[in-house]
Amino acid sequence: ALPEEGGVRLAFDDGSVRTADVVVGADGIHSTVRETLNTDAPVFSGLGIYRGLVPVTALPPAARERLVRLWLGPGGHFVCYPVASGAYLSYAATVPLASGTPPRESWSRPGDPEALRGVFGAWSGLVADVVAAVDATHLWALYDRPPLRAWSTDRITLLGDAAHPMLPFMAQGANQAIEDAMDLAACLTGAGAEEMPARLARYEAMRIPRTAEIQRGSRGNAGILHLADGPAQRRRDAQMAVHAALRDRTALYAHETGRSVVPAAEPVAAG
Ligand SMILES: Cc1cc2nc3c(=O)[nH]c(=O)nc-3n(C[C@H](O)[C@H](O)[C@H](O)COP(=O)(O)OP(=O)(O)OC[C@H]3O[C@@H](n4cnc5c(N)ncnc54)[C@H](O)[C@@H]3O)c2cc1C
């Protein structure tokens, strides 16, 4: 995507070329549109996450409870919850990945169920039951990028992981992409091509502080969730016991999106 007089010129792999008033790069952590604005690269976290589904029929009755469960341990953590109307339990098991060449970020890389059991097979409660029942799993290498100070030009902007890829430890990546879309739509409502630079600047100013804080919080959570046993871990557990409820996290969950930035039209005087 290259800015040019009167718009942005887009060249596609099939040889076609288009010109647009504005381009929104919503093309994920490896964003091609971001590359036209920045030279940074995804940063490997040193962590990987095994993900998959287990039929609840292969698990003890406790797996049928409609709960999100979380186990924390030194260096890793395990989350599971029912999906597909309770037919399956979805699990996500975070582990350190061996040093060396970091694996490329991919949602389709197979993992080794025996390696998963090697880490979590002796964990308590449902964790051991779930990993014992796994016959196929995926292993996802976790990447993010540092927050940007700016992600728009006069005619190009970014949205979602293209703008602010984050580690999944606040479960906010897709949520923030949706918030971006709501705020961008509000900013662009009623705008002519000549107003685009100001509207994109407004969108960026609305979104960068919030998403940057969540990117940093998600990185910070990796350390907090994986504390070794000791006083810091006991303080974390005590705090989580008090502040786990959604009502204690209104800054995250009660955020209002899609606020109009266009001043209401002056009423036309009658007569
Ligand atoms: C393990 C894990 C767990 C997660 N858990 C949560 C969670 O619980 N809650 C949450 O909110 N988020 C979670 N996320 C984050 C969430 O998945 C992402 O933040 C979200 O998918 C980002 O959406 P996006 O549309 O910005 O990017 P993507 O979903 O990456 O979509 C980008 C799209 O652009 C396309 N594309 C890329 N390049 C090009 C190109 N050159 N031309 C055309 N198309 C292109 C891609 O094919 C893709 O379809 C998790 C992520 C991971 C890895």
Side-chain angles (χ1 to χ4, degrees):
L2 286 175
E4 64 172 22
E5 191 66 28
V8 185
R9 184 171 172 275
L10 295 153
F12 294 95
D13 277 358
D14 66 2
S16 62
V17 173
R18 297 273 189 284
T19 301
D21 289 337
V22 63
V23 169
V24 180
D27 48 349
I29 187 169
H30 303 293
S31 170
T32 302
V33 180
R34 182 177 174 128
E35 278 174 19
T36 67
L37 311 177
N38 275 280
T39 55
D40 67 349
V43 179
F44 180 49
S45 64
L47 297 167
I49 187 162
Y50 289 94
R51 302 189 87 195
L53 300 174
V54 173
V56 292
T57 48
L59 296 170
R64 291 180 169 77
E65 290 176 64
R66 296 177 64 182
L67 292 173
V68 177
R69 291 184 160 93
L70 172 65
W71 287 261
L72 309 179
H77 72 283
F78 192 97
V79 183
C80 64
Y81 45 86
V83 294
S85 306
Y88 291 91
L89 200 75
S90 171
Y91 65 87
T94 304
V95 294
L97 287 186
S99 54
T101 310
R104 187 178 153 78
E105 190 273 344
S106 161
W107 54 267
S108 56
R109 187 162 81 112
D112 176 4
E114 287 311 324
L116 172 65
R117 282 188 271 278
V119 181
F120 292 99
W123 281 38
S124 61
L126 209 51
V127 178
D129 296 314
V130 173
V131 298
V134 168
D135 55 11
T137 189
H138 285 100
L139 177 57
W140 212 309
L142 294 177
Y143 285 77
D144 69 357
R145 298 192 194 225
L148 292 175
R149 289 209 186 92
W151 69 45
S152 304
T153 66
D154 282 358
R155 297 195 175 274
I156 302 174
T157 195
L158 303 176
L159 178 159
D161 277 10
H164 44 66
M166 53 187 70
L167 298 178
F169 304 135
M170 289 176 76
Q172 279 296 309
N175 290 303
Q176 292 309 307
I178 293 165
E179 287 187 13
D180 288 346
M182 298 285 291
D183 283 340
L184 181 60
C187 288
L188 296 187
T189 298
E194 72 290 350
E195 291 169 85
M196 282 303 161
R199 299 299 184 98
L200 295 184
R202 171 73 179 138
Y203 158 66
E204 184 183 280
M206 285 167 81
R207 297 301 302 159
I208 286 182
R210 176 168 172 80
T211 53
E213 189 181 335
I214 296 172
Q215 281 179 289
R216 284 189 285 266
S218 300
R219 271 192 183 180
N221 268 2
I224 295 168
L225 293 171
H226 300 162
L227 286 171
D229 292 351
Q233 163 263 324
R234 286 192 289 278
R235 275 197 301 279
R236 173 201 68 195
D237 292 356
Q239 276 189 353
M240 285 182 88
V242 177
H243 295 297
L246 296 187
R247 66 176 171 275
D248 292 330
R249 302 176 186 202
T250 50
L252 200 54
Y253 296 116
H255 181 73
E256 195 183 328
T257 55
R259 286 159 293 165
S260 172
V261 295
V262 186
E266 291 291 323
V268 179

